[in-house]
Amino acid sequence: TQLLEQSPQFLSIQEGENLTVYCNSSSVFSSLQWYRQEPGEGPVLLVTVVTGGEVKKLKRLTFQFGDARKDSSLHITAAQPGDTGLYLCAGAGQAGTALIFGKGTTLSVSS
Amino acid sequence: KAGVTQTPRYLIKTRGQQVTLSCSPISGHRSVSWYQQTPGQGLQFLFEYFSETQRNKGNFPGRFSGRQFSNSRSEMNVSTLELGDSALYLCASSWRDRTFNEQFFGPGTRLTVL
């Protein structure tokens, strides 16, 4: 059974701080996706990483896929209150199978 | 382009009752997946439908069922509700075979079982 473990589970920081969220597995994934979910809404796709070692940037967010395609990280620079939410990673395995979601990291950024 | 819509947004039921939730995917998406989200278990996959056929199924009891219609709209049914079924039920659609199965989620249906 493929599992994705996210850490930390909760993160509470001040505006302007940097942070990193991790998504780890013992399994290899063909791609990995990151979503953000705000209260009362469904998750929204932020990025998909496909190639081992790939780095993608989305404004102050930097996503990296591990070389072995078993792990990923999300780094936020100078966090803002608008970054508050639940961050979920999801791995895609063999073609035609369902995505595997991590349990998420709840981020709270206070001003 | 309109997003994924789910109805109803909120629902209160009592134990033993049954419930049907509805999902309308983004136009052109043929895959619809359902998830259950709770604080303790996170986002758990229920099942996926593609072109009216169940393509994948998660580890949930048979009380949870679904179907997809020819216009890709989908319904999910839960029979004999239990207190533990209280959760946010999310529907997501995707192109499935054109992308990495990237999910476009609806706002969810908040089900409370009393």
Side-chain angles (χ1 to χ4, degrees):
Chain A
T1 303
Q2 292 179 306
L3 290 173
L4 273 172
E5 294 187 5
Q6 285 190 242
S7 62
Q9 189 176 354
F10 300 97
L11 201 50
S12 182
I13 61 173
Q14 294 289 316
E15 183 176 2
E17 292 185 33
N18 301 332
L19 67 115
T20 302
V21 175
Y22 299 94
C23 178
N24 295 299
S25 176
S26 59
S27 304
V28 176
F29 292 99
S30 60
S31 67
L32 200 134
Q33 301 162 17
W34 285 91
Y35 295 80
R36 180 171 66 208
Q37 183 177 19
E38 297 183 20
E41 300 179 9
V44 175
L45 178 69
L46 295 173
V47 76
T48 300
V49 285
V50 180
T51 307
E54 181 178 4
V55 177
K56 279 192 174 179
K57 292 191 175 183
L58 185 66
K59 297 183 181 179
R60 294 174 294 98
L61 278 62
T62 301
F63 305 85
Q64 184 163 8
F65 202 10
D67 292 340
R69 290 186 289 130
K70 292 183 179 181
D71 54 83
S72 181
S73 64
L74 158 60
H75 183 78
I76 301 179
T77 302
Q80 298 178 359
D83 296 326
T84 293
L86 175 67
Y87 289 82
L88 295 158
C89 64
Q94 296 178 351
T97 58
L99 289 177
I100 305 295
F101 277 85
K103 288 194 173 184
T105 294
T106 300
L107 171 65
S108 175
V109 183
S110 54
S111 56
Chain B
K1 181 186 286 188
V4 176
T5 58
Q6 291 187 245
T7 56
R9 289 293 310 276
Y10 302 92
L11 207 49
I12 300 176
K13 293 285 187 180
T14 57
R15 279 183 301 174
Q17 287 187 308
Q18 75 164 18
V19 65
T20 299
L21 312 181
S22 182
C23 172
S24 292
I26 290 173
S27 178
H29 286 189
R30 294 163 62 192
S31 169
V32 173
S33 297
W34 288 90
Y35 299 85
Q36 181 194 67
Q37 187 175 36
T38 58
Q41 298 299 317
L43 201 64
Q44 293 188 285
F45 173 75
L46 281 157
F47 28 67
E48 176 192 6
Y49 286 87
F50 182 82
S51 294
E52 302 180 65
T53 301
Q54 188 178 86
R55 190 164 183 171
N56 287 295
K57 188 177 188 305
N59 189 27
F60 277 81
R63 299 186 296 108
F64 292 81
S65 63
R67 59 177 175 169
Q68 186 180 33
F69 303 95
S70 58
N71 61 0
S72 293
R73 192 176 67 84
S74 177
E75 286 182 348
M76 189 193 97
N77 184 274
V78 187
S79 63
T80 319
L81 284 166
E82 300 177 0
L83 295 179
D85 296 333
S86 293
L88 180 66
Y89 289 88
L90 291 161
C91 163
S93 69
S94 76
W95 290 108
R96 210 2 159 147
D97 291 338
R98 296 192 202 178
T99 65
F100 300 100
N101 197 18
E102 291 154 336
Q103 305 282 282
F104 292 82
F105 286 87
T109 294
R110 173 72 62 184
L111 172 64
T112 301
V113 182
L114 303 176

